[in-house]
Amino acid sequence: MYKPLIDRLARETVLSREEYLALIENRDSCREYLAEKARAVREQNYGRDVYIRGLIEISNHCKNNCFYCGIRAGNTCAERYRLTPDEIINAANSGYALGFRTFVLQGGEDGYYTDEILCGVISEIKKRHPDCAVTLSLGERSLESYKALRDAGADRYLLRHETTNPEHYKKLHPDGMSFENRQECIENLKALGYQVGVGFMVGSPYQTAEDLADEMLYLKKLNPQMVGIGPFISHKDTPFRDFENGTAELTTFMLSLIRLTLPRVLLPATTALGTVEADGRELGILAGANVVMPNLSPVNVRKKYMLYDNKICTGDEAAQCIECLKSRMKKIGYNTVVSRGDYKNEV
Ligand code: 5AD
Ligand code: FES
């Protein structure tokens, strides 16, 4: 009975809050049909190509204390590390040889990485590999800082908004972190001409189906180039250690809704999805995702960038990781490609 609603979503790329909610609450009866439609839209826009991003986890130092995150400042069990500029550049160089044309520099909010240091790293990577995109995922910084990094050559920025409900935001973060500041950062990034990615965890503590419906309206309004979502996974040394994990089932359903709402969005099947379910990333691609982000970080730091328990790919060399993902994609009829994998603007 939800087929007409899904057909309308595929046609008009938006539903009302109540309609999104009805689909989310009744997902068992329509997940296959929704995924089928999402796959069709994905193939119209991107064929069966899967874009790969080389993820370089530059630092697990963080000044914040998000209740869900394993590298929160308050976690004294975390063994801290930071990569030097040379180590970051070397990781990008080896990634280039493996076929990566996008590098994602991700890290906690670590004051060590001044604009000067980061601008040096970004411009060096862009100089050596002018055919590559540099994506940053380094949390909240000032407008001036975002501008300096953009001027140095950064193309894209990932900053998950985490939740579109300010009350929910307060339950996930301590006092001192602000929903408004996060939204302002996202606006600043957009204004500076970054391709912007936002996102949220699925099944995070206190999240409701209504919140998820609101996420869809938020995404529709913001119209970002990238959306990163993955299941919440508890970490043993955080205040949320006893909460249930999000499921692959709900995450893939949300991926399909996002694909139909933002037909051209760059949408990763995340490592977190591959962690809650052995073939989670494959299921994500089959639900409409079109990006995967293999780990390019040096193997000796991999186990230290533990946002959540049991993270996959922490023992594998970059070359192994990319080979593994390539063959996983191939098995389900998709091809990883050597490409920057930019957002396709409407023609
Ligand atoms: N489970 C799943 N995702 C997490 N993140 C942080 N901690 C967890 C967790 N325990 C996500 C957040 C953050 C991104 C880098 O990782 O959404 O923005
Ligand atoms: Fe990293 Fe399979 S993708 S080992």
Side-chain angles (χ1 to χ4, degrees), residues 92-326:
N93 291 344
S94 56
Y96 190 88
L98 292 169
F100 290 98
R101 295 297 177 266
T102 290
F103 304 109
V104 182
L105 276 42
Q106 184 172 87
E109 292 191 15
D110 180 359
Y112 169 85
Y113 293 94
T114 57
D115 293 345
E116 193 185 343
I117 293 182
L118 288 173
C119 287
V121 172
I122 295 163
S123 56
E124 183 64 21
I125 294 176
K126 294 290 285 195
K127 192 172 90 193
R128 292 194 191 202
H129 311 294
D131 53 337
C132 290
V134 170
T135 303
L136 303 177
S137 178
L138 301 169
E140 299 180 9
R141 301 177 74 95
S142 67
L143 173 67
E144 296 70 40
S145 173
Y146 286 152
K147 178 165 191 331
L149 303 174
R150 174 99 182 102
D151 290 342
D155 303 277
R156 311 185 185 131
Y157 205 104
L158 307 175
L159 184 65
R160 289 190 177 182
H161 61 292
E162 309 297 356
T163 170
T164 188
N165 172 350
E167 291 306 314
H168 185 218
Y169 190 93
K170 276 194 207 147
K171 294 183 182 161
L172 300 179
H173 303 95
D175 293 344
M177 286 188 71
S178 119
F179 175 84
E180 289 73 26
N181 195 51
R182 194 122 188 133
Q183 291 297 324
E184 191 181 320
C185 285
I186 292 167
E187 289 305 320
N188 287 343
L189 290 164
K190 262 177 75 169
L192 288 165
Y194 282 96
Q195 295 178 41
V196 172
V198 297
F200 55 90
M201 294 179 288
V202 176
S204 62
Y206 311 109
Q207 183 182 63
T208 63
E210 285 78 6
D211 290 332
L212 288 172
D214 286 333
E215 292 300 345
M216 298 311 304
L217 299 180
Y218 171 82
L219 292 176
K220 187 68 199 173
K221 183 152 180 268
L222 184 73
N223 194 27
Q225 284 87 9
M226 305 170 283
V227 175
I229 67 165
F232 160 76
I233 304 173
S234 69
H235 185 293
K236 63 183 186 342
D237 302 315
T238 64
F240 284 172
R241 62 179 65 84
D242 293 327
F243 282 91
E244 296 257 325
N245 291 344
T247 61
E249 165 267 310
L250 183 52
T251 304
T252 51
F253 191 82
M254 295 308 297
L255 285 170
S256 296
L257 282 183
I258 294 168
R259 170 59 61 207
L260 291 177
T261 301
L262 302 173
R264 291 155 189 270
V265 77
L266 296 165
L267 189 63
T270 54
T271 305
L273 184 53
T275 298
V276 289
E277 193 85 49
D279 58 349
R281 288 167 300 179
E282 290 90 325
L283 296 173
I285 295 294
L286 291 170
N290 65 334
V291 173
V292 290
M293 301 172 70
N295 201 320
L296 259 187
S297 308
V299 175
N300 65 313
V301 304
R302 292 262 183 114
K303 283 195 167 44
K304 299 179 185 163
Y305 200 82
M306 278 288 174
L307 306 181
Y308 45 81
D309 289 338
N310 304 314
K311 188 177 161 198
I312 54 169
C313 300
T314 56
D316 304 274
E317 289 289 348
Q320 287 174 315
C321 218
I322 173 71
E323 277 312 314
C324 166
L325 262 179
K326 255 189 214 168

Side-chain angles (χ1 to χ4, degrees), residues 41-59:
V41 166
R42 176 240 204 269
E43 286 188 24
Q44 274 165 28
N45 290 302
Y46 292 100
R48 290 199 161 214
D49 289 353
V50 176
Y51 297 139
I52 52 175
R53 318 299 194 196
L55 184 63
I56 307 174
E57 296 152 337
I58 70 168
S59 168

